[in-house]
Amino acid sequence: MFKSIYRDIEYYIRTGNSLDKIIIVNVAVYIFFFLVFLGIKIFNLSVGPDAAISESLIKMYVALNADFIFDLKHPWVFITHMFFHQGFFHILFNMLILFFLGRITGDLLGDSRVFPLYIMAGLCSAIFYLLATNLVGMGGIALGASGAIMGVVAAAGMVAPEFEIRLILLGRVRLKYIVLAFILIDLFSVAQGGSNWGGSIGHLGGAAFGLFYIFLMQSRGIDLARPIINWVDGINSPIKEKKRKESFKAKVIYNKAGIKKPARKGSGNLDTDVDLQEEVDRILDKIKAVGYDQLTEEEKETLFIASKKDN
C-alpha cells in the first residue's frame, strides 16, 4: 500500500503542475513535522532539565521569528516558514484555497509563474510581518502559507475580477469580491488587534505584492517572476532535453497525394508565438469584461495551450 502511495506521489511530482507540487511539498512537510512532534511527546524528549529538544525549539528554526537579527542569522526561515503549518485545519484551509483559486492564476498567467509568485508573495509577507512587529515591539513567530497564498489569490482577482466561482450557500460569486472579503477580514483583524495581528499584517503584505505584480505586468510589461522562471528553467533544461531526445519521434502529416509535410504548430490559426500572445491578451480582456464563463470552448482551449506553452 505504501509503495503504491509513493508511486502516486512520485508521478504527481514528475507530471503535475506547479500548484500540485507546492501543495505536495506543504503536505509532506506537515506530515514530517507531525511525526517528529508526535515522537517527542511519546518518548518525552522535551521533559526534564536535560531536555535538548522540544516543539518550540524546532519551530524557532523553521518558522519566521519576530527577531529580525535571529532571522538574518538563520536565513532559511524566510523560505521554510511558508511551507510549515501548525494544526490540521490550518493546512487544510490553506491548501483548499490554494487549490481552488490558485488554478485560476495558473490558467491565466501560465503555470511557470505560480511558483515564483508564491515565493515572492511569501517573502513580501515576511517583510511586512517583521516591519510591523518590530515597529510595535511585538514578539512571536509567523508560520504557514497564508501570506504566499494571498499573493496568488490577489493576482488572480486582478487578472480576472469578473471570474465567477460557485460557493456553497452563496451561489455564484465574482472573484474580485472573494479577494476583497479576504482583505477586509485581515484589515478587521488588524483593527481589532487580536492575537494574530502580526499574521494579518503579513497576509496583507502578500496580497499587496500580488496586486503590485499584476499592475507591473499590465501597465509596464515588467515580469518580476522572470528571474526565478529563468533559474528554474536552467535547472530543468538538461533533464527536459534528455527526455526529449529519448522520446522524440518525427511527426508528419500526409496529404491526399501521399506527400509528407511538417506538422503544423499551435491550434487553429495560431501559428506563431506572436499570434498566440495577441489572442491570449484579447481573451484576458474579455474575461475582465464579461467573466470566464462567457468564453467559447475555443477560447478556453487557447488559454490552456498558452499556459502549457509558457511552462
Side-chain angles (χ1 to χ4, degrees):
M1 182 184 73
F2 291 106
K3 189 175 181 180
S4 175
I5 294 175
Y6 173 78
R7 285 200 301 264
D8 290 340
I9 295 175
E10 183 184 25
Y11 172 78
Y12 281 115
I13 291 177
R14 285 191 291 105
T15 63
N17 56 33
S18 296
L19 190 66
D20 293 335
K21 294 174 183 178
I22 292 173
I23 293 175
I24 289 173
V25 171
N26 273 280
V27 173
V29 170
Y30 172 78
I31 293 175
F32 172 78
F33 281 104
F34 172 81
L35 295 176
V36 169
F37 294 152
L38 181 62
I40 291 175
K41 291 179 180 179
I42 291 177
F43 297 104
N44 295 323
L45 298 180
S46 60
V47 177
D50 298 328
I53 187 172
S54 65
E55 289 189 27
S56 59
L57 181 64
I58 293 176
K59 291 175 184 177
M60 181 183 300
Y61 289 96
V62 180
L64 186 72
N65 200 295
D67 184 350
F68 184 67
I69 302 301
F70 180 88
D71 295 331
L72 289 179
K73 292 180 179 179
H74 308 84
W76 60 83
V77 299
F78 286 96
I79 299 297
T80 57
H81 86 277
M82 65 182 80
F83 294 95
F84 178 63
H85 292 80
Q86 184 176 11
F88 174 74
F89 289 104
H90 185 201
I91 188 172
L92 176 64
F93 185 68
N94 276 348
M95 293 304 102
L96 285 176
I97 294 176
L98 182 60
F99 177 77
F100 287 109
L101 300 183
R103 290 183 303 135
I104 303 172
T105 307
D107 290 341
L108 298 180
L109 295 181
D111 179 65
S112 62
R113 291 188 176 92
V114 174
F115 174 71
L117 181 56
Y118 179 94
I119 293 296
M120 291 188 294
L123 291 175
C124 188
S125 172
I127 292 173
F128 269 63
Y129 170 80
L130 290 173
L131 290 175
T133 52
N134 282 273
L135 185 64
V136 300
M138 176 183 292
I141 60 174
L143 52 88
S146 302
I149 293 173
M150 280 293 290
V152 175
V153 172
M158 193 165 182
V159 171
E162 304 302 324
F163 185 92
E164 292 186 341
I165 298 176
R166 185 180 297 277
L167 299 179
I168 300 177
L169 301 179
L170 297 178
R172 304 179 72 85
V173 181
R174 292 180 181 178
L175 184 55
K176 61 183 178 183
Y177 295 126
I178 295 176
V179 175
L180 180 61
F182 283 141
I183 292 176
L184 289 178
I185 290 173
D186 284 315
L187 286 174
F188 181 77
S189 177
V190 172
Q192 291 292 105
S195 58
N196 196 34
W197 178 86
S200 296
I201 292 289
H203 299 169
L204 294 174
F209 179 85
L211 297 175
F212 180 67
Y213 174 77
I214 300 301
F215 169 78
L216 283 183
M217 284 192 64
Q218 293 179 338
S219 63
R220 305 292 176 84
I222 300 175
D223 185 1
L224 295 176
R226 181 52 53 187
I228 300 180
I229 294 175
N230 293 338
W231 175 71
V232 174
D233 287 344
I235 296 175
N236 292 333
S237 56
I239 301 175
K240 290 182 178 180
E241 181 65 18
K242 181 179 179 180
K243 290 182 178 179
R244 186 189 69 82
K245 290 180 179 179
E246 292 175 351
S247 61
F248 174 77
K249 293 182 180 179
K251 183 179 180 181
V252 295
I253 299 175
Y254 291 85
N255 59 19
K256 293 181 179 180
I259 301 174
K260 293 184 290 183
K261 59 181 181 178
R264 190 177 186 181
K265 296 181 180 180
S267 175
N269 295 323
L270 306 176
D271 295 326
T272 67
D273 290 340
V274 175
D275 293 336
L276 180 60
Q277 186 58 51
E278 290 178 352
E279 179 65 6
V280 170
D281 291 340
R282 183 193 67 79
I283 295 173
L284 292 179
D285 289 337
K286 182 176 179 180
I287 291 175
K288 294 179 186 178
V290 298
Y292 181 83
D293 289 344
Q294 299 302 316
L295 298 182
T296 64
E297 291 302 321
E298 290 76 11
E299 289 170 333
K300 292 179 181 179
E301 181 182 0
T302 299
L303 281 180
F304 176 78
I305 292 173
S307 67
K308 293 300 181 184
K309 188 178 183 66
D310 193 38
N311 185 12

